[in-house]
Amino acid sequence: MAGLDEHGDEGRPAGRRSRLLKTAGLTLAALLVLGAGAAGWVYWQLDDNITGVDINSALGDDRPPRALVTPSAGASASPLPSGALNILVLGSDSRDGAENRELGGGEGGSARSDTAMVVHLDAGRTAATVVSIPRDTLVTRPSCPLESGGESAETYGAMFNSAYTVGGPVCAVKTVETLTGVRMDHYLEIDFSGFADLVDALGGVTVTTEEDIDDDQSHLRLDAGTHHLDGEQALGLVRTRHGIGDGSDLGRIELQHTLVKALLERISALGLLTDVARLYDVADAVTGSLTTDTGLDSLGELIELGRSLHGLSADDVTTVTMPVVPAPSDRNRVVADEPEAGELWESLR
C-alpha cells in the first residue's frame, strides 16, 4: 500500500512507532490513575464534610419502637431501602462562622432550631408527608444527656426550639419523640449558610407569593407574585414571619412549605446526575454544612437514601403543620391541639 513499508505506518520507523505507542499508553494510564485519584479525593472531601452525631447511643432504648419493615417478595440481593422512614430535619440559626452571622445567625450564644420538620417517607418511598412543628410550641422537654456530662432537668411548658439550645441534636430528637410518640429513624440539620449555598448551587429557586412581603428582621421585600430567588433571598423567605399575616410562626411555615415544593421541582428539573459540575456544587454545599445521625454520616449512605427517592416528585409530597391552638398560659405561644395532633402522629407510626 502506498506510503507504508516494513518500517511502519507512513514510513515511520517501527522502533519510533513502538516508543510513541508506549508513551501514549503510559499517558493514558496516568490520566486514568489521576482521574481515579481525583474522584477518590472528591469523594473523601465530600464525605469528610459531614458531621455525625451518635444519637442512638446517647438515647439508648428508652424511645418509641422502630417501624416494622416487611421484606417485599422477590426482592433482589441488595435492593435499595424501601421501608417507611421518619427523619427529623432541622434548620439551625448557628452563630458559627462569619457567613452565618451575616445571614442573621447573631453574635455569640448557642444555636437554636429555627425550623423543624418531620419528614415521613411511606413504605415504597413513593409518597412523603412533611409535618412542621412550630418553634413557638410549648412542650414537655424531657431530661436530656449533655455533652458536658450529666443530664438536663425535665421541663414543662418549655419552648420547643429550646431543646436544641439545651442539648443539641440529641435533645431535639428526644423532645420530638416525646411530643409525637414517633421514632425518628434519622436526623438531618443544615445551618443558614449551608441552606443559602444549596439554593445558589441549584441556580436559585422560583416561588410564587400570595401577598407582599416586607420584613425588616429577615431583610426580605417582595411584591406578591412569582420570583426567582437566590440563596440569601430564599433564606429570608423561610425566616419571614413579621412581614406577613398576623406575624406568627404559622404564616412563616406556609412560606417554608411553598419553598420545599419549589426546591423539589427545581431538583427534579435539573437532572443533576447528568450535570457533574452542578452535582458536585450541590453536594459540596449540602455536605459542608450538614450534621446527621451516624446512620447517614457518610456520602455513600446519603447517596443510597437519595437513590431510594428517585421516583418521588413534588406532587407526591404533602405538607402540613402540626395542629395547634393558642396556649392558655401565653397567647403568643401555642400547644398541640388534641386529639387532632395525636391522630396525625399516629398516622406516621
Side-chain angles (χ1 to χ4, degrees):
M1 185 180 294
L4 297 180
D5 59 24
E6 69 274 14
H7 295 298
D9 296 348
E10 299 179 351
R12 180 179 298 142
R16 184 182 176 200
R17 179 172 177 268
S18 177
R19 288 194 300 273
L20 287 172
L21 289 174
K22 184 177 181 181
T23 301
L26 290 174
T27 301
L28 177 59
L31 288 174
L32 290 173
V33 170
L34 286 173
W41 178 84
V42 167
Y43 186 96
W44 174 85
Q45 181 190 37
L46 296 177
D47 194 71
D48 194 55
N49 281 347
I50 305 166
T51 300
V53 178
D54 193 352
I55 292 173
N56 286 336
S57 294
L59 293 183
D61 297 327
D62 186 19
R63 305 176 66 185
R66 295 183 185 276
L68 294 176
V69 178
T70 303
S72 57
S76 62
S78 58
L80 288 171
S82 60
L85 207 64
N86 291 301
I87 306 172
L88 176 60
V89 178
L90 293 188
S92 69
D93 64 347
S94 172
R95 274 79 167 161
D96 292 336
E99 187 176 358
N100 274 318
R101 290 193 293 272
E102 289 175 3
L103 291 171
E107 296 286 347
S110 301
R112 296 166 299 178
S113 55
D114 196 66
T115 301
M117 297 179 178
V118 173
V119 178
H120 173 78
L121 303 174
D122 289 355
R125 310 282 171 93
T126 58
T129 303
V130 178
V131 185
S132 290
I133 302 175
R135 66 180 185 180
D136 293 342
T137 306
L138 298 182
V139 300
T140 297
R141 190 180 68 225
S143 173
C144 297
L146 302 176
E147 289 186 7
S148 58
E151 294 192 350
S152 65
E154 183 178 43
T155 304
Y156 299 95
M159 283 272 286
F160 169 75
N161 68 344
S162 69
Y164 185 93
T165 305
V166 169
V170 172
C171 196
V173 168
K174 188 169 184 180
T175 299
V176 169
E177 291 183 344
T178 300
L179 173 67
T180 66
V182 177
R183 172 75 170 241
M184 296 297 110
D185 300 293
H186 290 299
Y187 172 85
L188 289 170
E189 174 196 330
I190 191 166
D191 64 22
F192 280 4
S193 65
F195 178 80
D197 289 346
L198 168 61
V199 174
D200 284 336
L202 291 171
V205 62
T206 300
V207 299
T208 299
T209 60
E210 301 297 331
E211 58 181 298
D212 296 343
I213 296 175
D214 187 357
D215 190 340
D216 289 335
Q217 294 195 29
S218 68
H219 308 295
L220 184 67
R221 289 170 179 78
L222 292 176
D223 294 331
T226 300
H227 304 272
H228 191 75
L229 307 181
D230 63 19
E232 187 170 352
Q233 291 172 315
L235 178 63
L237 186 72
V238 299
R239 298 190 65 221
T240 290
R241 63 183 292 178
H242 299 289
I244 57 168
D246 61 0
S248 73
D249 199 36
L250 301 181
R252 186 176 70 112
I253 287 174
E254 289 184 16
L255 292 178
Q256 292 172 355
H257 289 170
T258 297
L259 192 63
V260 165
K261 289 293 191 76
L263 282 171
L264 290 173
E265 291 170 357
R266 179 65 174 166
I267 290 170
S268 177
L270 283 176
L272 290 179
L273 293 180
T274 60
D275 188 343
V276 177
R278 176 160 281 174
L279 178 60
Y280 171 79
D281 288 342
V282 170
D284 191 42
V286 171
T287 59
S289 301
L290 194 66
T291 299
T292 75
D293 66 285
T294 49
L296 284 179
D297 65 349
S298 75
L299 193 59
E301 289 162 331
L302 288 172
I303 289 173
E304 182 181 60
L305 175 62
R307 289 179 60 213
S308 77
L309 304 178
H310 71 280
L312 195 67
S313 70
D315 292 336
D316 301 319
V317 178
T318 301
T319 55
V320 297
T321 302
M322 182 184 75
V324 293
V325 294
S329 60
D330 186 344
R331 306 301 289 181
N332 293 318
R333 302 288 180 256
V334 295
V335 293
D337 185 11
E338 300 295 356
E340 286 81 1
E343 292 168 355
L344 171 62
W345 297 123
E346 178 65 31
S347 71
L348 305 186
R349 294 192 182 109

